Amino acid sequence: MADSRVLGYLHNMNLSVELEQEEDGRWIADVPALPGVMAYGKTANEALSKAKALALRVLAERLEEGEASAGLSSVTFGMAAS
């Protein structure tokens, strides 16, 4: 069981993902809260999966480098409103 003093520092991160189809048919998914986190895919799902994976890698690196809060307990993704 987690120490209740630690639980006070835990927080969630909610990230919006913008999804758009390019003129050439490819899909691009962008996570605006994390500059540079964007990915292309042949399908919307492929682009979305790649962008989520990249976002998680960026967050992991930030945690390792001490640039993100160690109290981060979860990350959720939602689609940005159009």
Side-chain angles (χ1 to χ4, degrees):
M1 186 163 178
D3 185 327
S4 62
R5 292 172 294 174
V6 174
L7 292 178
Y9 296 102
L10 299 179
H11 66 275
N12 300 324
M13 177 177 275
N14 299 308
L15 297 172
S16 293
V17 181
E18 296 177 355
L19 191 61
E20 174 177 329
Q21 191 169 22
E22 300 283 304
E23 288 183 17
D24 63 5
R26 295 180 301 167
W27 287 85
I28 184 167
D30 177 44
V31 181
L34 298 172
V37 175
M38 59 181 358
Y40 282 98
K42 292 179 183 178
T43 65
N45 282 338
E46 181 182 7
L48 187 58
S49 293
K50 287 180 176 182
K52 286 179 179 181
L54 180 55
L56 292 171
R57 283 189 209 103
V58 167
L59 290 173
E61 184 175 312
R62 288 183 181 182
L63 283 166
E64 288 174 347
E65 298 296 324
E67 297 172 14
S69 170
L72 180 62
S73 63
S74 70
V75 177
T76 57
F77 294 93
M79 297 305 295
S82 6

